[in-house]
Amino acid sequence: MSGFVGVVVSDPSLQGQFTQVELRSLKAKFVSLKRDSGHVTTKNLPGLMKKLRGLNEVVSEEEIAAFLSESYPDSDQEIEFESFLREYLNLQARVSAKGGGAGGGGGGKSSFLKSSTTTLLHNLNQAEKSSYVAHINTYLREDPFLKKYLPIDPSGNQLFDLIRDGVLLCKLINVAVPGTIDERAINKKRVLNPWERNENHTLCLNSAKAIGCTVVNIGTQDLVEGRPHLVLGLISQIIKIQLLADLNLKKTPQLVELFDDSKDIDEVLSLSPEKMLLRWMNHHLKKAGYKKTVNNFSSDVKDGEAYAYLLKALAPEHSPETTLDTKDPDERAKLVLEQAEKLDCKRYLTPKDITEGSANLNLAFVAQIFQHRNGLTSDTKQDTLTQTATRDDVLLSREERAFRMWINSLGVESYVNNVFEDVRNGWVLLEVLDKVSPGSVNWKLATKPPIKFPFRKLENCNQVVKIGKQLKFSLVNLAGNDIVQGNKKLIVALLWQLMRFNILQLLNKLRSHSQGSQGKEISDADILNWANSKVKASGRTSRMESFKDKSLSNGLFFLELLSTVQPRVVNWKVVTKGEADEDKKLNATYIISIARKIGCSVFLLPEDIVEVNQKMILTLTASIMYWSLQKQPQSQSEMPEQSEPSSMTSDAASDIASEDGASTTAPSESEEVNSLSDNISNLTMDDATSNAPSAENGNGVAGS
């Protein structure tokens, strides 16, 4: 394993879209074509691309050639391998957007969350644009800062012009998931300079990742320029997260009514919001006597009949029989929308959007109906079942969320809806291992979902444990069957070691690039010492004794650290002394937004700082360190001095893991993690490609 290098792509965010298996296969095909033809152009590439996964039997060579001509008008221009990869992703995205639909197929993935923001057609869908503008006008019209710019006219380019300063997108994220962004961190002036705009967009993109959006291949400059297809792609994801926010058992425990009492609640928790919405819709359709099953929000609802039955079940007082008797789909769609308006559902789509099967708009329409009248009841048995299912989940929910967001940000093929359920077949964990340690997974011995036989799941999980031991993880209490059985504490212990391994690899890789050599592995103690030395060098007296130092709860140390690495970023006028609990939380919220604003991709919550969650404190510190070092590559003398192995380092690591039911020993001089730095071609978690602090080069260290 130590000799494996794999296919190296210079852009880490691009490499993060593929596994090493996929990259090797694509590279071999590309090299073969280049060898046979002498060079690769838009003339000979379509034949190869038509045979690739996701394009085969879906798009013709002529259509591929026309697509490539948009980026390469000169048909003789040579196309390099990385450009080929980008065009492959973009073409897949275009095909996906053209096909539409949600909820169809297996795998439990969330189609809109998994899709990149580059997945919308460059030929803008005016209906979707109008719908998003109407949504923004409705929810932000009373905002103190934005109200002077609203309402937006959907017919022109006002939306894209207003996006350019970053304020609107930050506000929209807070509408979707309240409290995500501390508004004190948003630069709000009538006229912003380029640096301030860049900060707002960096804050926006890192915050979007933290609520579950996929923002691969979109950067701050794309938003500054107001590129329509990228802007609408991001807005679409944010709005859908808002509309589907209540489609889980925590927010709507009555959803348990949709399942048998014997149903495994953990399995229910793993359903994507879209699949839960489809389950809810079909539940009521069956009760109303509808004979079909709705599997998507496009072709299955185009005739409007399902909507007529759904509204009849939920709002019979607004559903005359004439709606069902109407034979004309256009007329039925019109009647359906009129009935929905009586439930206070905002009219964000037209009858034409229904009959043409616009997947995004139909999903939003059904989600609105759910929000206004879900038709569910609750009884004692259901309450007890839900409470039993969530009691343990509450204890681990913050860490589950952190690891879920981290995994989804890696660019793995699978989209994780619930960590404890989705990792039980081992496949997601193998994908993660392939990202953080390319080449470590033997894919010939792995089985991809859906997995019919239980022993295949066990084989996947056994390989996970085997690789973990090769990477020097402490897994003395963990066996493959523990993962299959969904042992939450042991799964968290494993994921923490994976995240920590990733963090240290990122820092080691950055140091080896800076120094031109690979010294001793960076340890937890080095991260601690770096933070303390930075704050001390600024003339301040704050100090962090360890990652579980209770004095950190007031947030002042991290504000001083952030102010040191980026002097102008902290507005000390809004910082509290952090004495009362409320003041501590205010500071913690501000810290997270400021870290994201400078370019740190962190997923922790304010409670993690206030309660001094040791794991999350470590990842936050490492995230700031990584951003600082990549921003200004330093000479060897300026890099953090290597600490001798100390009891603090090993104790800190073992304490962190022991909380989860396993022990982790930090790598020491006698027991170092295998040196993989020179083999980690993919700096996961959005490694930097330039020195400018922005979301696309945000440190990918995932603060939990």
Side-chain angles (χ1 to χ4, degrees), residues 83-157:
S83 298
F84 158 64
L85 293 179
R86 289 191 179 89
E87 296 305 327
Y88 176 36
L89 287 175
N90 289 334
L91 187 53
Q92 276 187 317
R94 179 167 294 195
V95 169
S96 174
K98 184 177 180 182
K109 298 176 190 175
S110 175
S111 61
F112 83 83
L113 290 177
K114 181 58 188 168
S115 63
S116 162
T117 55
T118 59
T119 62
L120 288 189
L121 289 167
H122 289 239
N123 298 323
L124 297 179
N125 185 321
Q126 183 61 39
E128 291 194 11
K129 176 189 170 186
S130 298
S131 173
Y132 303 152
V133 166
H135 185 92
I136 291 169
N137 287 337
T138 297
Y139 284 92
L140 292 175
R141 63 187 174 191
E142 299 300 328
D143 181 85
F145 180 81
L146 292 174
K147 63 182 180 182
K148 58 179 172 288
Y149 304 108
L150 301 180
I152 299 170
D153 180 1
S155 63
N157 291 321

Side-chain angles (χ1 to χ4, degrees), residues 623-664:
S623 176
I624 299 170
M625 176 181 178
Y626 182 77
W627 179 84
S628 175
L629 295 181
Q630 72 159 0
K631 174 194 168 196
Q632 295 178 325
Q634 302 180 30
S635 66
Q636 185 168 348
S637 62
E638 291 173 311
M639 293 296 287
E641 295 183 4
Q642 298 299 297
S643 302
E644 292 300 318
S646 66
S647 58
M648 189 287 298
T649 304
S650 58
D651 288 348
S654 60
D655 285 350
I656 290 172
S658 63
E659 294 172 3
D660 302 318
S663 61
T664 307

